[in-house]
Amino acid sequence: MKTNRFFIKHAALALMSLTFALTSCSSDESKKDEGQGNNPAVIASVRVNTPGGRVFYLGAYDKFPSTLDYKTMTEIGPGATIYSYGEHPYVWNGTASTLTKYNVSNDMKISASDALSLTGTGVSGTFGPPAFVSETEAYFFALNDGKIIKFNPTTMAITETIAVTPLPLSNDAAVKTSTYMSYVTSAKKIILPVAATPTDFNKFPQYAQIAVFDIASKAVTYVKDTRMSMGYDTFAKGNDGTLYYRPSRATSLSLDYSTVKGAPPAGGMLKVNPNGTFDPNFFVDLKAPLNAHSVNVVAYVHGDKALAQYLDNTFTPPAKPADWYNAPTKFALVDLKTLKVEPFTSFEKYGTVYSVGTIDGAEYYGNITAPDGKFSLLKQKGAADFEAVSEALGGSVIFVGKLR
């Protein structure tokens, strides 16, 4: 059995344990611009632990090689937050509040291009990666401050600062609601799941919540659903693109040390529509079919099957909440239509496994702590079917993406 830290689904940022990883890209800013190519490419980033700390590297390829060797990659810097859109990789530097765009040439050389600075915009809260709408339109969400920063990815210039209603309870230290990942939908909405990390366990929000930004009206609304307690700050994604609001470890922990009675389920799943509403006809409480004490997270949905990580009904909360996360957890696939439960062992030989990106509709995963010590890049092919695409030499994969 693995611990609660086994599966952290956080797109390209999983290894940051859901914190806002801040990086310096200064090591690359002095590199000569190699120019932007037009050949299709895939990119991969590897994290390497060195005596001086973590260092991140980025490589570009026409297809993933059998081995990803960081020694042949471009050094990005310590603690990089890396993602991509369209033709370019991007690196966020939280310390300097800058976003740097990189070029990838036709011979797969990587070089820093333009940078955008958020200094002077008045944002002070923590926030996640930008939501890209097009090659000329993207947004940063600082909802704690009630601000959205619109910028042009082509020119890397801020085009507007939009004042919106701040996220409720985000500045309440006992509740600490927050948003992180954002999802651009076909209905011209950007949806951000809302999460909380209460320090007062009796104040965990007894509702699910999403922030919905209407691109046309430039307004944010906060939508609640009382069928489940507050969940994660990322969605579980179906392989068909469906978004699912999912359980949160922070809420499960809070319930174990709370005196609140009659709270809605914390182990449920809701479906989120592209227009920013919760589907009124979909709700699944995973706790009963799993015979679980609590459901900590749903990693993904493939077909009708959801991969759930849970504490079984023999679990007794430890006296110290800090010890709660060290409890061994189990994994199982739950059919969302029939509620049939299947054991899941696909990742046992890979240790801690986490999502690193989506390419052409397929989800990819990296790993650490494998029994054989190897770092792998895995491609998902089914609900419990995964293919090892590459072996990463010297460090773990933390992001993959496709350009052009």
Side-chain angles (χ1 to χ4, degrees):
M1 292 187 294
K2 312 299 180 188
T3 69
N4 300 62
R5 299 184 180 91
F6 179 94
F7 206 117
I8 305 172
K9 173 88 170 179
H10 215 300
L13 313 179
L15 283 177
M16 311 314 167
S17 300
L18 304 182
T19 61
F20 301 91
L22 307 179
T23 176
S24 170
C25 54
S26 59
S27 62
D28 245 349
E29 288 174 352
S30 60
K31 291 183 181 293
K32 181 179 181 293
D33 187 347
E34 300 284 351
Q36 176 66 13
N38 53 21
N39 289 347
V42 290
I43 57 174
S45 180
V46 172
R47 181 192 72 171
V48 178
N49 291 324
T50 73
R54 295 175 176 175
V55 180
F56 288 70
Y57 296 83
L58 184 64
Y61 316 91
D62 56 356
K63 65 179 182 179
F64 290 122
S66 58
T67 57
L68 295 168
D69 188 350
Y70 76 93
K71 294 178 183 177
T72 66
M73 296 179 174
T74 298
E75 181 178 336
I76 299 299
T81 300
I82 302 167
Y83 31 86
S84 65
Y85 179 81
E87 299 185 358
H88 300 274
Y90 295 83
V91 174
W92 170 244
N93 178 341
T95 303
S97 292
T98 57
L99 179 73
T100 300
K101 178 170 68 176
Y102 285 78
N103 286 336
V104 177
S105 66
N106 280 336
D107 58 357
M108 303 303 164
K109 300 295 184 182
I110 297 171
S111 56
S113 177
D114 299 321
L116 175 148
S117 174
L118 298 188
T119 302
T121 59
V123 296
S124 59
T126 53
F127 45 89
F132 290 90
V133 176
S134 72
E135 296 285 355
T136 58
E137 181 180 5
Y139 299 87
F140 273 109
F141 292 86
L143 297 184
N144 293 34
D145 291 332
K147 293 184 179 180
I148 298 173
I149 307 299
K150 181 181 179 181
F151 69 96
N152 184 328
T154 297
T155 63
M156 292 296 280
I158 292 173
T159 57
E160 188 176 5
T161 299
I162 304 168
V164 296
T165 303
L167 175 62
L169 301 177
S170 60
N171 294 310
D172 185 330
V175 183
K176 293 191 295 186
T177 56
S178 62
T179 63
Y180 188 74
M181 289 298 293
S182 52
Y183 301 80
V184 182
T185 76
S186 58
K188 298 187 182 299
K189 310 282 187 181
I190 301 177
I191 302 174
L192 302 90
V194 178
T197 52
T199 55
D200 182 338
F201 298 134
N202 285 331
K203 290 189 175 182
F204 71 91
Q206 296 182 51
Y207 49 83
Q209 189 173 45
I210 54 177
V212 182
F213 176 60
D214 185 292
I215 297 172
S217 69
K218 301 181 182 179
V220 170
T221 55
Y222 297 99
V223 181
K224 293 182 180 180
D225 194 306
T226 57
R227 288 176 289 174
M228 67 177 279
S229 296
M230 186 161 279
Y232 229 49
D233 60 2
T234 63
F235 289 131
K237 292 190 300 182
N239 63 306
D240 62 354
T242 302
L243 300 176
Y244 296 88
Y245 192 87
R246 58 182 172 166
S248 165
R249 295 175 297 164
T251 298
S252 295
L253 181 151
S254 296
L255 278 169
D256 278 342
Y257 299 96
S258 170
T259 60
V260 172
K261 305 297 182 184
M269 290 181 64
L270 298 165
K271 188 180 293 185
V272 179
N273 295 320
N275 66 357
T277 61
F278 288 102
D279 185 339
N281 299 314
F282 182 93
F283 174 71
V284 177
D285 186 357
L286 299 170
K287 185 176 177 179
L290 289 168
N291 195 22
H293 170 82
S294 60
V295 180
N296 295 347
V297 73
V298 172
Y300 58 77
V301 177
H302 198 284
D304 293 324
K305 296 179 180 180
L307 178 60
Q309 180 187 24
Y310 65 100
L311 293 161
D312 69 23
N313 63 0
T314 65
F315 174 72
T316 300
K320 296 180 179 180
D323 295 332
W324 188 93
Y325 287 103
N326 295 320
T329 58
K330 294 182 178 180
F331 295 85
L333 288 168
V334 181
D335 190 299
L336 297 178
K337 290 184 176 178
T338 66
L339 298 185
K340 179 182 177 182
V341 176
E342 301 174 29
F344 180 88
T345 59
S346 299
F347 289 145
E348 286 188 351
K349 66 178 180 179
Y350 296 110
T352 300
V353 177
Y354 46 88
S355 173
V356 296
T358 305
I359 297 177
D360 294 334
E363 199 74 21
Y364 286 76
Y365 299 85
N367 76 304
I368 54 175
T369 65
D372 62 5
K374 292 183 177 180
F375 301 105
S376 300
L377 174 63
L378 308 173
K379 178 181 180 181
Q380 185 169 21
K381 304 181 76 175
D385 185 13
F386 299 83
E387 172 191 4
V389 174
S390 304
E391 179 184 352
L393 304 180
S396 52
V397 182
I398 57 100
F399 176 76
V400 298
K402 183 177 180 180
L403 307 179
R404 305 191 283 265

